[in-house]
Amino acid sequence: MKNKLFYTINEVAETLDLPASTLRYWEKEFGVLKPYRTSSGVRRYTEKDIDFLKKILYFTRDCGYSLDGVKKVLQSSGQQYLDPKYELIVTLNEMKATLLDMKSQLEK
């Protein structure tokens, strides 16, 4: 993702390869996920929000946890997951997204 202060829900959904409805659902499920809202109610996600979403995605998609399982893991670790594989997987997923974006631009 580009280095910006805030990202729209569509930018985040596209980056994480998730529907926007999933992000809205996770916002309800995880109380600590509270994106900034404009006066018209439009969600604006920070890098911190996106990092938290990546943790949820890692546990659900890569580890096979349910949302309840993710909540337990994050609570027991104080929301700091220290598995070295986590950082590697996040980095590889970001590289994959960048490469896929480059590929689509070359195909145009």
Side-chain angles (χ1 to χ4, degrees):
M1 295 190 85
K2 302 170 193 165
N3 289 331
K4 299 181 350 183
L5 290 178
F6 297 105
Y7 301 89
T8 66
I9 192 168
N10 291 331
E11 290 172 322
V12 176
E14 185 178 321
T15 299
L16 298 178
D17 192 27
L18 290 169
S21 60
T22 299
L23 299 177
R24 288 189 292 272
Y25 179 73
W26 285 358
E27 185 181 329
K28 291 177 186 174
E29 288 294 309
F30 295 88
V32 295
L33 181 59
K34 295 179 183 175
Y36 167 76
R37 289 192 181 232
T38 64
S39 59
S40 59
V42 176
R43 289 171 173 84
R44 299 289 184 203
Y45 291 85
T46 63
E47 288 288 339
K48 183 179 175 185
D49 296 325
I50 295 168
D51 288 341
F52 188 75
L53 289 166
K54 286 178 182 178
K55 286 180 184 182
I56 298 169
L57 189 60
Y58 167 74
F59 285 117
T60 56
R61 189 179 283 170
D62 298 329
C63 297
Y65 283 83
S66 66
L67 288 184
D68 286 335
V70 174
K71 289 176 190 177
K72 289 177 185 175
V73 169
L74 292 176
Q75 286 173 351
S76 69
S77 64
Q79 298 175 355
Q80 299 294 322
Y81 187 66
L82 302 176
D83 184 347
K85 291 188 286 184
Y86 168 75
E87 290 296 327
L88 177 62
I89 289 172
V90 168
T91 302
L92 290 173
N93 285 335
E94 289 173 353
M95 290 173 62
K96 178 183 175 184
T98 301
L99 291 171
L100 289 173
D101 184 48
M102 291 171 68
K103 179 183 175 189
S104 70
Q105 288 179 5
L106 288 172
E107 290 173 346
K108 292 180 182 176

